[in-house]
């Protein structure tokens, strides 16, 4: 096991693991290349090179297809699925949240953290300071599956990525 597989304490009472253990976990996720995966989908409105990069790196599982990643976490680990959204329901971030030993663990492509502030460094990009956090509903999931033309690819990619780093997401 690598050192990101273990929880590290910080701020005396919080802990995290996975890519949260890295100084700039978002950049690291965008640098993880999966271009050897089967044909990546292309966005017709985008340049081919840019679309190919987006769909072959793990960063889009955090920013862009967080809902597919959260669904894969739910399927693999049975974690409860949550959504944080703007009050007008325009922006959102999907993730899983688990409570153990009087602590809440927030889990997305970065790994697991008990620090809500650390978790919000990405979520805030999509929801700002005024948001609603709630369990995701069956209707949310059905909407994600039907509205996203890349859903099947992103969901499949999420499962592969989680399998490659399962210990990063185990609470």
């Amino acid at each position: 096991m690598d050192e990101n597989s273990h929880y590290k304490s910080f701020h005396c009472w919080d802990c995290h693991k996975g890519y949260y253990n890295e100084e700039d976990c978002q950049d690291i996720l965008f640098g993880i290349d999966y271009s050897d995966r089967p044909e990546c989908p292309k966005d017709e409105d985008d340049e081919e090179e840019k679309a190919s990069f987006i769909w072959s790196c793990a960063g889009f599982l955090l920013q862009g297809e967080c809902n597919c990643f959260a669904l894969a976490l739910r399927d693999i680990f049975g974690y409860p699925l949550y959504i944080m959204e703007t009050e007008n329901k325009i922006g959102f971030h999907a993730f899983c949240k688990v409570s153990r030993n009087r602590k809440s663990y927030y889990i997305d492509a970065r790994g697991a953290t008990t620090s809500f502030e650390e978790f919000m460094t990405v979520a805030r990009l999509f929801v700002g300071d005024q948001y609603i956090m709630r369990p995701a509903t069956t209707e949310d999931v059905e909407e994600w599956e039907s509205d996203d033309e890349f859903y099947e690819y992103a969901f499949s990619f999420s499962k592969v990525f989680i399998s490659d780093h399962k210990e990063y997401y185990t609470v």
Side-chain angles (χ1 to χ4, degrees), residues 10-71:
F10 65 102
H11 295 131
C12 298
W13 56 85
D14 283 316
C15 63
H16 57 209
K17 70 176 180 174
Y19 295 102
Y20 279 112
N21 284 339
E22 302 293 337
E23 193 168 317
D24 197 341
C25 59
Q26 292 176 62
D27 284 348
I28 289 171
L29 283 169
F30 278 101
I32 297 173
D33 181 28
Y34 270 75
S35 58
D36 59 343
R37 296 256 315 136
E39 186 64 30
C40 296
K42 304 286 188 250
D43 185 342
E44 294 176 13
D45 297 332
D46 211 344
E47 300 168 20
E48 187 172 321
E49 277 185 43
K50 186 177 177 186
S52 177
F53 167 74
I54 290 169
W55 295 107
S56 65
C57 79
F60 90 97
L61 300 174
L62 177 64
Q63 297 179 17
E65 297 294 342
C66 59
N67 53 334
C68 295
F69 194 83
L71 285 166

Side-chain angles (χ1 to χ4, degrees), residues 90-153:
I90 292 175
F92 75 93
H93 183 63
F95 60 99
C96 291
K97 182 178 138 193
V98 176
S99 294
R100 299 254 161 76
N101 301 324
R102 296 187 199 164
K103 285 189 179 240
S104 290
Y105 293 82
Y106 302 92
I107 311 143
D108 62 15
R110 294 170 288 179
T113 184
T114 60
S115 169
F116 185 71
E117 280 307 310
E118 184 176 48
F119 167 75
M120 285 299 292
T121 58
V122 167
R124 192 169 279 118
L125 297 173
F126 300 99
V127 301
D129 291 325
Q130 301 293 316
Y131 58 84
I132 298 163
M133 185 181 348
R134 62 177 176 78
T137 65
T138 303
E139 291 79 19
D140 293 321
V141 173
E142 288 171 355
E143 182 179 331
W144 296 338
E145 292 171 346
S146 66
D147 283 355
D148 187 346
E149 65 181 300
F150 301 118
Y151 170 79
E152 289 299 327
Y153 178 80

